[in-house]
Amino acid sequence: MVKNLVVFDFDWSFVDQDTDRWVFEVLSTELRRTLQDRKSAGSQCMPDVVDQTMEDLFQAGFKKEQVLDALRILPVHPAMKRAVTSLKAKGETTFLCLSNSNQVYIATILEKHGLSNLFDQVITNPSHWDGDRLHIGRRLPADGPQHTCTIGCLPNMCKGDELDAWLAAHGGKDSFTKILYVGDGGNDFCPLLRMRQGDVACVRKNMELQARIEKEGEKVGCKVDVELWDQAWIIDEIFSKL
């Protein structure tokens, strides 16, 4: 039986938004600006910065249900939903999520769209509620063992290491006929280097991942086939051929 593994980044890959920014954009322009000013160079926010700004949101009087409601109105494109549900229904594909978002954000969005059972596992940053305050932590805590990635992954998570560990726990690469990775950001580059010739990277056009592949891919031995996309219907088209 053909057995595929589809690995999704979440922000700007599964959904057409950055979840860390979305909550503040919905609830407070002032705090959205605060997040922008605090975040480090590059397109990704460290969870520490998001957590700090969530404290500001709490101090400003925003409640748990307001945060959850903001997440519930974040759309999943109908074509993306069709792409994943149609492929999952065939029974030959395992879905994995590797994301720099957090557990509460992703679980809330998936539940709202009836997709809670899509992913076999969601590997992301931990988060939990303490009353109306959402706490967001690091996948790799700052005071614990750190990854040794030299490819440029964020300190809180090496997606390449995470993919390797997941594969090792599920029979290895050879258990899957094909691995597809859907991503957009610079931290999605590392897992592509753990994939084989014939595997596929579905790379969002004009984003950081495309730039890294074009600049560094050949030099560091990136072997995957690259499919560029910029709209969800193209993912649906790619998945329909599996």
Side-chain angles (χ1 to χ4, degrees), residues 196-230:
R196 309 159 295 190
Q197 188 171 2
D199 291 336
V200 179
C202 300
V203 177
R204 193 144 196 175
K205 288 182 181 178
N206 302 320
M207 303 286 268
E208 191 176 353
L209 180 57
Q210 181 184 0
R212 289 203 67 180
I213 292 172
E214 292 173 353
K215 182 179 179 181
E216 307 170 49
E218 185 175 353
K219 180 172 60 177
V220 297
C222 186
K223 301 174 182 177
V224 297
D225 299 330
V226 175
E227 295 271 5
L228 296 177
W229 67 283
D230 57 357

Side-chain angles (χ1 to χ4, degrees), residues 122-142:
V122 175
I123 298 172
T124 188
N125 295 302
S127 55
H128 69 275
W129 289 102
D130 179 10
D132 289 312
R133 166 69 157 97
L134 180 63
H135 295 270
I136 300 170
R138 292 187 180 195
R139 171 73 176 173
L140 293 179

Side-chain angles (χ1 to χ4, degrees), residues 16 75-85 232-233 236:
D16 291 330
V76 175
H77 196 288
M80 185 64 75
K81 190 180 295 188
R82 181 170 61 246
V84 296
T85 55
W233 67 267
D236 189 24

